[in-house]
Amino acid sequence: MTLLCASILVRDPAQARRDLALAAEAGAEIVELRLDRITDPAALTPVMDRAGVPCVLTCRPTWEGGESALDDAERLRMLESLASGRGGYVDVELKTVQRVDGSALPASASLIISAHDFAGRPERLNNLLLEMDRSPATVQKIVWTARTIRDNLEAFEILRARRKPMIAFCMGEAGIISRVLAKKFGSFLTFATIRADAATAPGQLTLDELKSLYRWDAIGPNTRVYGVVADPVMHSMSPAIHNAAFDAAGFDGVYLPMRVEGSYESFKAFMESFLHAEGLDFSGLSVTIPHKENALRYLSERGDEVEPLARRIGAVNTIIVDRSPRRIALRGINTDYAAILDSITSALQIGRDDLKDRRVAVLGAGGTGRTAVAALAHCGATVVVYNRTLERAKALSKKFNGKSGKVVAAPMEKLCGSCCDIYLNTTSVGMHPKVDQSAFGVAPPKLTSGSLVFDTVYNPMKTLLLKQAEQAGAATISGVEMFVRQAAAQFEAWTNLKAPMTVMREVIERRLGS
Ligand code: NAP
């Protein structure tokens, strides 16, 4: 069992008492009291007496990333005085253990012996582990700052190879997955904070994030691992929607943010290491900016299956990993295009074939514009691409014109004279924080009650563009619809279960509404 440990930087007894109560209420099973700033340990005795949860006492010196300027003997004396008669754990740095006499180590509590590297992977990682083996540790702890997401895999290997209780994880944004998957790999504990502004180390999640967002209570040794690969990634709402869907369906999976820097080489290195990581059960990916083209190239080079329209669009946004004892087979699909088509056909209550009778204005010629144009043209629609940079619109129309439907390009200034049935905004105009902008600009096209306006922007849920459309009596589709549909299709591709779309929609609407 992996304990959920709240780490609390103690400033004074009253604050420690409050934070201990908050930690217990939020589900912490053990609490680390960081005593770096404490000069009068006796004042903490009443707090310790009523802690209510087991404690790890730590007084981290400045030379190991903490704040305490006390020397080894003073720190060890303080730890022993507070542990005496109470048991629990004390955390002492390996370097301290190596230079003091064994009799100076706290005897009243179990020893966690730790090594931290805030700069990156310790050069002496393997030696440190050997030295810990020779130390009197009850629990060994090794922590470093992840340079890339791949560093986490070494922490998992250390946990898998442990001979005694072990804590091994990576700090920083790239290390977040090791804090969550600590439970899958049987770490002794994982650290969390009661509030984001009270974190005691980089990348520490809140107790609430671990439990509510990352399914802490449901994670076990066989939990399958999914994620969104992007750069940047922490703004993504995909972990919220997919973990809620796994929860609702009772599916044994967890979905994590995976930041991978933009180059093809980085993407390939990430895939190769994660696919083959022992015990990880890496089972699927959402792929977004800047990796959709990288994903297509990677699957093509491996000779894996890519859905034909994803290939034509030039972008894969979903990877399904099929593990058989003989080989790992991957499949690449694009759930964005189906989400765009299904959002439109369900709003109009028509079939995809009926789109051949519709004229659609696609605003934008970036990645989403390209996906929309390919999908609509594939169904035989007549598409007019309006874009700020006309050359991009022309290139797009040239690529997809005549495949099934007709595609032409037009300058944005001509939009006001357009007479389409459907207006689909794929530009980022109107997106938070620039919510007072509309992709229609100052001169919207003439809309009627028969028009449909679809904004792929989902933050805010109701953009200025959608408000203008409503005022003109047109029907509207918000970007949330597309976001939920593309995620639901990913969920179904990974799990073979029906996606709990109502739950998924509620999660996103709640997040966007708050
Ligand atoms: P992208 O490849 O960078 O393309 C951006 C497009 O917006 C380009 O056509 C660009 O025109 C245009 N644009 C940007 N700023 C503009 C401005 N100030 N005035 C006029 N046009 C402007 O981005 P993308 O990946 O296609 O994403 C675009 C948007 O789609 C995102 O912002 C997101 O809100 C939305 N989206 C939604 C979902 C969903 O599930 N709902 C999924 C994916 C994307 P130029 O060619 O002239 O630069």
Side-chain angles (χ1 to χ4, degrees), residues 229 267 271 285-300 304-320 330-337 371 490:
V229 60
F267 181 81
M271 287 301 292
L285 266 187
S286 305
V287 185
T288 185
I289 297 169
H291 290 297
K292 290 183 185 180
E293 289 83 6
N294 291 336
L296 173 60
R297 180 174 159 195
Y298 178 68
L299 295 177
S300 304
D304 282 310
E305 183 189 341
V306 177
E307 180 192 30
L309 201 53
R311 196 176 286 287
R312 184 138 21 119
I313 293 164
V316 159
N317 83 331
T318 310
I319 294 177
I320 301 121
L330 306 183
R331 189 158 59 89
I333 60 174
N334 189 316
T335 63
D336 284 338
Y337 88 83
T371 305
Q490 294 183 324

Side-chain angles (χ1 to χ4, degrees), residues 320-433:
I320 301 121
V321 182
D322 186 6
R323 292 174 177 279
S324 77
R326 277 181 296 115
R327 81 178 275 262
I328 299 170
L330 306 183
R331 189 158 59 89
I333 60 174
N334 189 316
T335 63
D336 284 338
Y337 88 83
I340 290 172
L341 292 177
D342 295 345
S343 298
I344 294 173
T345 54
S346 95
L348 295 176
Q349 299 196 317
I350 59 173
R352 285 188 185 179
D353 275 357
D354 301 318
L355 284 167
K356 64 182 180 315
D357 304 322
R358 309 283 167 143
R359 257 178 90 82
V360 187
V362 173
L363 283 59
T368 312
R370 184 186 176 87
T371 305
V373 170
L376 290 160
H378 184 71
C379 294
T382 299
V383 183
V384 189
V385 189
Y386 295 90
N387 194 44
R388 177 178 62 179
T389 310
L390 182 59
E391 287 315 308
R392 286 183 87 187
K394 283 184 176 166
L396 197 52
S397 61
K398 196 168 157 205
K399 182 164 173 62
F400 293 104
N401 184 34
K403 292 282 189 304
S404 294
K406 186 174 175 204
V407 185
V408 294
M412 211 44 134
E413 304 78 61
K414 291 275 173 72
L415 180 65
C416 58
S418 146
C419 54
C420 288
D421 309 298
I422 301 167
Y423 291 86
L424 170 52
N425 174 43
T426 71
T427 76
S428 46
V429 179
M431 190 166 80
H432 181 82

Side-chain angles (χ1 to χ4, degrees), residues 63 198 212-213 224 264 276 316 393 424 434 442 446 481 497:
W63 48 261
S212 308
L213 179 57
R224 292 188 190 183
Y264 176 68
H276 297 105
V316 159
L424 170 52
K434 296 184 177 168
V442 286
K446 192 165 162 32
E481 192 59 30
L497 299 171

Side-chain angles (χ1 to χ4, degrees), residues 81-208:
S81 73
L82 281 170
S84 177
R86 297 187 181 87
Y89 296 86
V90 291
D91 176 327
V92 180
E93 308 71 37
L94 179 64
K95 280 185 197 154
T96 305
V97 172
Q98 287 171 334
R99 64 187 173 213
V100 300
D101 187 277
S103 62
L105 293 173
S108 303
S110 303
L111 269 182
I112 298 177
I113 295 187
S114 61
H116 306 77
D117 196 325
F118 286 80
R121 180 190 179 281
E123 274 176 27
R124 300 179 61 252
L125 184 61
N126 291 330
N127 285 339
L128 287 174
L129 291 168
L130 290 173
E131 289 166 22
M132 280 196 188
D133 276 345
R134 292 196 289 268
S135 79
T138 302
V139 180
Q140 302 176 343
K141 176 185 175 197
I142 184 124
V143 182
W144 69 94
T145 298
R147 300 151 303 172
T148 77
I149 191 151
R150 283 180 284 134
D151 275 354
N152 295 290
L153 301 181
E154 203 167 2
F156 301 151
E157 276 172 31
I158 293 170
L159 288 172
R160 277 167 59 83
R162 69 185 180 278
R163 283 193 291 272
K164 53 166 67 179
M166 167 70 81
I167 303 164
F169 67 90
C170 293
M171 294 182 287
E173 186 188 303
I176 282 175
I177 72 163
S178 66
R179 294 180 182 272
V180 179
L181 296 178
K183 194 167 175 210
K184 179 175 170 65
F185 287 96
S187 174
F188 175 69
L189 57 73
T190 205
F191 294 99
T193 174
I194 49 172
R195 287 183 313 274
D197 65 0
T200 57
Q204 214 171 66
L205 298 165
T206 64
L207 291 160
D208 185 52

